[in-house]
Amino acid sequence: MGMAGLQESANGDGLSSADLGKRNKYRRVEFDLPEDYCASDNLREGEGVNRNGKYVLACAFFASLNSVLLGYDVGVMSGAIIFIQQDLKITEVQEEVLVGCLSIASLFGSLAGGRASDAIGRKWTMALAAVIFQTGAITMTLSPSFRMLMAGRLLAGVGIGFGVMIAPVYIAEISPAVRRGSLTSFPEIFINIGILLGYVSNYAFSSLPAHINWRIMLAVGILPSVFIGFALFIIPESPRWLVMQNRVEEARLVLLKTAQSEVEAEERLKEIQLAARTSEERAVWYELLRPSPMVFRMLVVGIGIQCFQQITGIDALVYYSPEIFKAAGIKDNEKLLAATVAVGLTKTVFILVAILFIDKVGRKPLLYLSTVGMTLCLFGLGAALSFLGKAKVGIVLSIFFVCGNVAFFSVGIGPVCWVLTSEIFPLKLRGQAVAVGAVGNRVCSGLVAMSFLSISSAITVAGTFFTFSAISALAVIFVYTLVPETKGKTLEQIGSLFGDKADEGELELGDTKHLMYSSQISS
C-alpha cells in the first residue's frame, strides 16, 4: 500500500522493499538518480519538459469538462426554480425535493462510478458520466410536468455521481507529484465556472415568459457535450489503471508523455508496478468494509473531509442564494439574480488562489484558512440576518458575508477536498474508495439542499447559518487533528503518512532528493 522502504536494486532491473520495522521513526523512500544526472542535460532532452507539461495541462483541462455541466446545473437551478415554481405550481416541499434529489441520486452514480472506473477505465467512465447527465438534462428541458422533471433530475444526478468522483482520480493518477495539487483542482475550477454560467443564464433569460425561460436555462447546459466528445480523442487512459490491467507498455507510453523526463517516467512506472504487485489479494470491498488500521485512517480522512465540505452549508448558499437575499430584504427578482451573479463570480475568482498556492504552501494551510474564514463569515451572516433586519446595511453585509464564505470555500476546502481524497488511497483501492468518499459528499449535499427551507422555517434563516458556523468550527479541529500534509509526495509515498507513528513533517534524504530532482526539472 505505502511505498515504505522502496529502493532500486543494484542491477537496475526492479525494486525491492526493506522492512524498516514498526519502531523506526521514518518511512523512507529512496530514489537513486543516475550517476551522470545533470538537471541542465535533462532540460535539453528534446524540449520534452515544456511539451509534456502542456500535454498534462491539456489532459487535466479536458478531463474537467464534465464539471462545467455539474456546476451549471447547480447554478442554473437556483434561479430556474423561481420560474418552475410559477409555471408548474409546485409546493415548497416539492421545490426542496427537486433541488435536493440530484445530490441523493448522485450517490448511486458515485458508487457505480467506482466499479465502472476499475472495469472500463477512468477515461470511459468520464464519457459514461457525460452521456447519462446529458440524457437527464434533455429530459428536464422537455418536461411537461413535475414528475418528468423529477425523472430527468434523478438521471442527471446519476451522471453527476459518476463525474464528481472520476475526474479528480484520473487527473491525480496522470499528474507529476510536483503539480498534482494544482491540476487536481481543475474540476473544482470548472464547477465554479459552470455555477457562474448558470447564474448568468438565470439573469439573461429571466425576462422571458415563465413557461419558456427556465427551459432555455436548462437547455443551455447541453452545449458542452460537444467538447466532451472531442476530449475523448485527446486524453489517454490513466497509466495506473493500465498497469492494473497488465498493459504495461501502454502505461509506459502515457508516462513518457506526462512525466518531466524519461528517468522520472521509468521511476514512476516501477513504483506503480510495485504498488500493484504488493496489493493484498483480498477483494476491494472486503478491504474497505474490514480495513486495516492504515486504510481505516485513510477512510476517516477521505470521508470526513468530503462530508465537512458539504455540511458547512455551501449548497445552501449556491442553491438558495435568492431565498437568502430575500430574507435580507431584496425583493425584485432581477436584483436577486444579479446578486447571485456576484456570488458566482466571487466563487470562480477565488478558486484561482487555490490553484496558485496548493502546491507551494500545501494542503493544510489552505484548509486552515478556508475553514476558519468560513466559520467567521457564516457567523457574520447569521448575525446580519438576526440583528439588522431588512435595513440597507443588513443587505450589504449579507451579500458581503455570502461572497466571503464562498471565497474562503473556493480557496481551501472546495478544491483541496477532492485533491486529498484522490491522492491518499493506495492504487488498488483508489477508484472505489474515492467513490465511497463521494457518496458521503453527495449524501450531505442532498441533506442540506432538501432540508434548508424547512429548517430555516423552524429556526429562522439566521439560526441555520449559526448552525453551519458551529459545524465549520468542528471542521477546523478535524483538519488539525487528522489531515496529513501530502504536498510534493508521489501517490505511492503518501500511504506511509497513515502508517504507525508516521510523521507528516519528516522526510528522509531519499524523499528530499527526489523532490529536489523533480523541482529542478519542472523549474
Side-chain angles (χ1 to χ4, degrees), residues 276-293:
R277 285 201 304 270
T278 56
S279 292
E280 298 179 23
E281 294 301 319
R282 294 189 296 172
V284 171
W285 277 106
Y286 181 87
E287 195 159 347
L288 291 176
L289 293 173
R290 302 189 65 178
S292 65

Side-chain angles (χ1 to χ4, degrees), residues 281-313:
E281 294 301 319
R282 294 189 296 172
V284 171
W285 277 106
Y286 181 87
E287 195 159 347
L288 291 176
L289 293 173
R290 302 189 65 178
S292 65
M294 182 177 76
V295 173
F296 178 76
R297 295 184 191 106
M298 293 174 175
L299 288 170
V300 169
V301 171
I303 296 173
I305 198 70
Q306 289 279 8
C307 291
F308 273 117
Q309 190 207 49
Q310 291 298 328
I311 59 176
T312 47

Side-chain angles (χ1 to χ4, degrees), residues 27-183:
R27 302 285 172 176
R28 180 171 181 166
V29 182
E30 293 188 6
F31 294 87
D32 295 332
L33 302 183
E35 291 182 4
D36 59 349
Y37 167 71
C38 173
S40 60
D41 290 342
N42 278 273
L43 284 172
R44 287 194 297 268
E45 281 182 2
E47 312 151 2
V49 174
N50 289 334
R51 184 175 64 251
N52 289 1
K54 292 177 181 177
Y55 182 73
V56 174
L57 187 67
C59 290
F61 178 90
F62 285 117
S64 303
L65 283 176
N66 261 331
S67 301
V68 175
L69 301 175
L70 315 185
Y72 184 85
D73 187 86
V74 170
V76 79
M77 189 54 73
S78 69
I81 194 67
I82 298 172
F83 306 106
I84 292 172
Q85 203 171 28
Q86 295 173 12
D87 185 28
L88 300 182
K89 310 300 181 187
I90 63 176
T91 65
E92 187 176 277
V93 173
Q94 287 176 317
E95 179 183 348
E96 282 186 317
V97 171
L98 181 64
V99 170
C101 73
L102 181 132
S103 295
I104 298 300
S106 67
L107 73 88
F108 297 104
S110 292
L111 284 172
R115 298 292 295 272
S117 69
D118 286 343
I120 65 175
R122 307 340 188 188
K123 172 179 174 178
W124 294 108
T125 301
M126 288 187 282
L128 182 60
V131 170
I132 296 173
F133 179 85
Q134 293 292 14
T135 304
I138 292 170
T139 303
M140 287 191 291
T141 300
L142 302 176
S143 296
S145 65
F146 176 73
R147 286 186 179 182
M148 187 172 287
L149 187 62
M150 277 289 296
R153 187 81 169 152
L154 291 171
L155 197 56
V158 173
I160 283 178
F162 275 92
V164 295
M165 62 77 48
I166 193 56
V169 170
Y170 174 84
I171 297 171
E173 291 186 345
I174 206 169
S175 303
V178 293
R179 301 181 63 194
R180 189 179 61 247
S182 58
L183 291 174

Side-chain angles (χ1 to χ4, degrees), residues 3 15 31 267-275 490 492:
M3 298 303 293
L15 296 171
F31 294 87
E267 285 179 351
R268 294 287 79 77
L269 182 60
K270 289 176 182 178
E271 289 180 20
I272 294 166
Q273 286 180 286
L274 183 58
T490 67
E492 285 66 41

Side-chain angles (χ1 to χ4, degrees), residues 483-499:
V483 177
E485 179 57 73
T486 58
K487 181 190 74 168
K489 297 177 178 63
T490 67
L491 295 178
E492 285 66 41
Q493 292 170 14
I494 289 171
S496 65
L497 299 177
F498 294 88

